[in-house]
Amino acid sequence: MSTVATETAEPTGHKPRGRGITSLEILCGVLLLAIVFQGQIASLLTDERIRTASTVFISVCIQAMPFLVLGVLISGAIAAFVSPERLRKLLPGNQALAVPVAGLAGVALPGCECSAVPVSGRLMQQGVRPAVALTFLLAAPAVNPIVLGSTAVAFQGEPLMVVARFVGSLATALVMGWLWVRIGKTEWIAERALRRYERPAGTSRWGVFAETARHDLVEAGGFLVIGGIIAAVLKVTASDFFSSLSGQIVLGVLVMAVAAVVMALCSEADALVAASMSALPLLPRLVFLVVGPAVDVKLIALQAGTFGRKFVVRFAPLTFLVAILCGVGAFLLVFGEVR
């Protein structure tokens, strides 16, 4: 769910600023060049590994695109027609009870982990308790229908992976919310994150819807392409490495947890990458899917900028540990055995 800033009119006598070239136009230009020079590109695909990588990349993008489009449409509708004030009114006054409500709200309010950070900060500015806003921060990018749908596409032969991901990710959000109720302190959060927020005016709801959907499609589409490229590269280059972890469950879990933090994939695309690591057992791959939307390098940077350094040095390591434990616990609960 993205926040669309209201553009103010230029003062009289000033020339309007140029719109500039957007990432969408760059993407269209790249696609046009690919069409014009498709013969030359095809001649390069003589190596078996390159052909395999290109096939994986194309299939990843084609399978995920319908879910991505649906997601950005829902995201635009939420940004335009569902205000955080309305969400705040729906929350129980008791923090411990409000935490699971915020976690389940993530199912209905899709968005990537990057957009969840400013939304959670805005909720705090509008009076929502930090524990509740942080629960939403962790739940929204991990348990919404778009992410679960892309997981179902990626793991078509293992439908229980969708259930396990939902359980593990929701458990991570709830545990962290309840832990913040018990041990969290307001002084750990930067004052700027708690300052009262006033929603900008002057843009129609349909204008907000269109701009949010366009922005999210470009942004999430970029992450989808990156995820497809990583999946293709891993398929042809890292098979031997992941095969060496096939019989080492504990090491595989730790390696995949760290990989989720470092690779910093968008939650709409991470299942496609995890599915490409077919040499690994399912448990490490599930941990990868649970940890990634909860804590990674880009999220740590965003959280530090929004909530402050004192917050992130406490929140990120604890979230990492909780996500690993919840991922393993969810796998054992859903599958009943390690595999």
Side-chain angles (χ1 to χ4, degrees):
M1 181 166 63
S2 300
T3 302
V4 179
T6 305
E7 295 182 2
T8 56
E10 291 287 340
T12 305
H14 288 258
K15 294 182 180 180
R17 297 175 182 174
R19 190 172 65 87
I21 299 176
T22 67
S23 55
L24 179 60
E25 289 160 345
I26 294 175
L27 176 61
C28 291
V30 171
L31 293 176
L32 179 61
L33 290 174
I35 293 173
V36 172
F37 297 102
Q38 58 181 322
Q40 291 86 337
I41 294 174
S43 65
L44 297 175
L45 302 181
T46 55
D47 185 89
E48 181 66 28
R49 290 158 65 90
I50 296 179
R51 285 204 303 271
T52 300
S54 62
T55 301
V56 171
F57 172 74
I58 293 171
S59 63
V60 161
C61 293
I62 290 177
Q63 289 179 348
M65 188 56 68
F67 296 97
L68 179 62
V69 172
L70 178 60
V72 299
L73 292 177
I74 296 175
S75 177
I78 294 298
F81 303 109
V82 180
S83 66
E85 294 94 332
R86 184 175 302 175
L87 177 62
R88 177 166 56 87
K89 292 178 182 178
L90 296 175
L91 295 171
N94 185 293
Q95 278 196 89
L97 296 178
V99 163
V101 174
L104 292 174
V107 177
L109 301 176
C112 72
E113 51 269 34
C114 298
S115 63
V117 174
V119 170
S120 299
R122 188 191 317 152
L123 290 173
M124 291 186 192
Q125 291 170 339
Q126 292 175 333
V128 173
R129 299 287 186 87
V132 180
L134 294 175
T135 302
F136 177 82
L137 166 70
L138 296 174
V143 301
N144 68 73
I146 311 308
V147 170
L148 297 178
S150 66
T151 306
V153 171
F155 290 91
Q156 295 183 30
E158 295 287 350
L160 288 181
M161 282 291 284
V162 181
V163 179
R165 180 174 196 177
F166 176 83
V167 172
S169 297
L170 183 60
T172 300
L174 297 184
V175 170
M176 287 301 299
W178 284 321
L179 282 175
W180 191 271
V181 171
R182 298 286 297 176
I183 65 175
K185 297 181 180 179
T186 304
E187 54 263 33
W188 292 347
I189 301 175
E191 183 181 351
R192 63 179 177 273
L194 301 174
R195 195 175 298 125
R196 185 71 183 176
Y197 170 84
E198 298 295 336
R199 185 176 182 177
T203 303
S204 70
R205 290 186 175 184
W206 286 108
V208 172
F209 170 79
E211 177 60 20
T212 301
R214 183 202 65 79
H215 176 273
D216 284 1
L217 179 60
V218 172
E219 186 176 80
F223 279 112
L224 173 61
V225 170
I226 293 173
I229 292 173
I230 293 174
V233 171
L234 290 175
K235 185 70 175 179
V236 299
T237 62
S239 298
D240 293 340
F241 171 73
F242 290 122
S243 296
S244 67
L245 299 175
S246 60
Q248 306 180 52
I249 297 296
V250 175
L251 181 59
V253 166
L254 295 177
V255 168
M256 291 301 289
V258 173
V261 175
V262 175
M263 292 172 70
L265 297 174
C266 181
S267 56
E268 283 92 352
D270 58 1
L272 302 167
V273 175
S276 70
M277 303 175 185
S278 54
L280 276 173
L282 289 176
L283 174 55
R285 288 189 278 172
L286 176 65
V287 171
F288 176 84
L289 297 178
V290 173
V291 171
V295 54
D296 62 34
V297 290
K298 72 176 184 299
L299 275 176
I300 291 173
L302 285 170
Q303 291 171 4
T306 303
F307 304 117
R309 293 182 180 179
K310 289 199 297 185
F311 168 84
V312 80
V313 296
R314 294 169 172 84
F315 188 76
L318 183 58
T319 303
F320 180 72
L321 177 61
V322 169
I324 292 175
L325 296 176
C326 288
V328 173
F331 190 91
L332 295 176
L333 177 65
V334 174
F335 286 92
E337 60 180 354
V338 175
R339 62 189 183 93

